[in-house]
Amino acid sequence: MSFHIKQLSYKNFLLMEIKNEKNILIIGGSLRAKSFNKYLASNLIEIGKEKFNFEIFSDFNLLPHYNTDDHNQDNWPNTLLELEDKIRKDDGVIFVTPEYNFSVPGYLKNCIDWISRLPNQPLDRKLVCIQSASLGPLGGARVQYHLGQILVFLNAKVMNKNEIFLTFAKQKFDEKSGKLTDEITIDFI
């Protein structure tokens, strides 16, 4: 029995760099209207507009709770099929998420559980980045580690560097407009 392992070579990476447009799907932000993670997701569009085309998916509330008894490959939720199409066509995915109880928020885990049941797993070998913002000094580190474990299981190519842990978020955003105001953070992102 032989195995073939496909790795992202430097040559393939350079070809991605040469491509005129890179489409990136941002999954997440939060359910809360004035979430710092939602602000972070929105600010990525402005920060990276010279290099990337972004689209944000945040319609978690349109996915029912995942239940194996309810899932039928002939009757997938429309929101899931739309999300699958976006994941497949885009060059990469950025998960932007808050940390709930030292881990992944339930709505995001539910979304990933649905995605994981699709045939020909859309996150398989997909380039993925994880970012988080929090009010405290860890910046959502625990959610990133847990989410990374989940995504590795789905064979996503999770970027290990540079990690974006946006700490003390209240001091780095204009709370009324949601604009990221911290220049050091903007430059790092």
Side-chain angles (χ1 to χ4, degrees), residues 60-134:
F60 300 105
N61 56 335
L62 300 178
L63 284 172
H65 291 288
Y66 181 77
N67 179 341
T68 306
D69 291 339
D70 295 338
H71 117 229
N72 175 340
Q73 292 190 10
D74 297 325
N75 194 23
W76 296 106
N78 287 336
T79 301
L80 177 66
L81 296 176
E82 291 169 15
L83 179 57
E84 174 190 23
D85 183 56
K86 292 172 198 283
I87 292 170
R88 288 193 194 284
K89 75 174 177 61
D90 286 349
D91 299 301
V93 176
I94 300 175
F95 285 87
V96 180
T97 180
E99 180 179 300
Y100 288 2
N101 300 316
F102 287 8
S103 194
V104 179
Y107 61 85
L108 179 56
K109 180 65 168 71
N110 182 60
C111 179
I112 293 169
D113 287 342
W114 273 110
I115 292 168
S116 73
R117 300 309 188 253
L118 291 165
N120 302 314
Q121 179 44 245
L123 287 170
D124 184 35
R125 292 179 289 216
K126 182 65 69 173
L127 192 59
V128 171
C129 177
I130 304 171
Q131 298 185 15
S132 56
S134 80

Side-chain angles (χ1 to χ4, degrees), residues 27-45:
I27 296 179
S30 180
L31 297 178
R32 191 168 63 87
K34 295 194 180 254
S35 158
F36 291 113
N37 284 279
K38 192 171 276 190
Y39 290 165
L40 176 58
S42 296
N43 277 270
L44 292 177
I45 296 169

Side-chain angles (χ1 to χ4, degrees), residues 11-24:
K11 180 180 175 186
N12 289 340
F13 182 75
L14 287 177
L15 288 174
M16 284 177 61
E17 286 295 310
I18 294 169
K19 243 174 116 174
N20 290 339
E21 292 183 350
K22 292 175 206 80
N23 297 309
I24 307 296

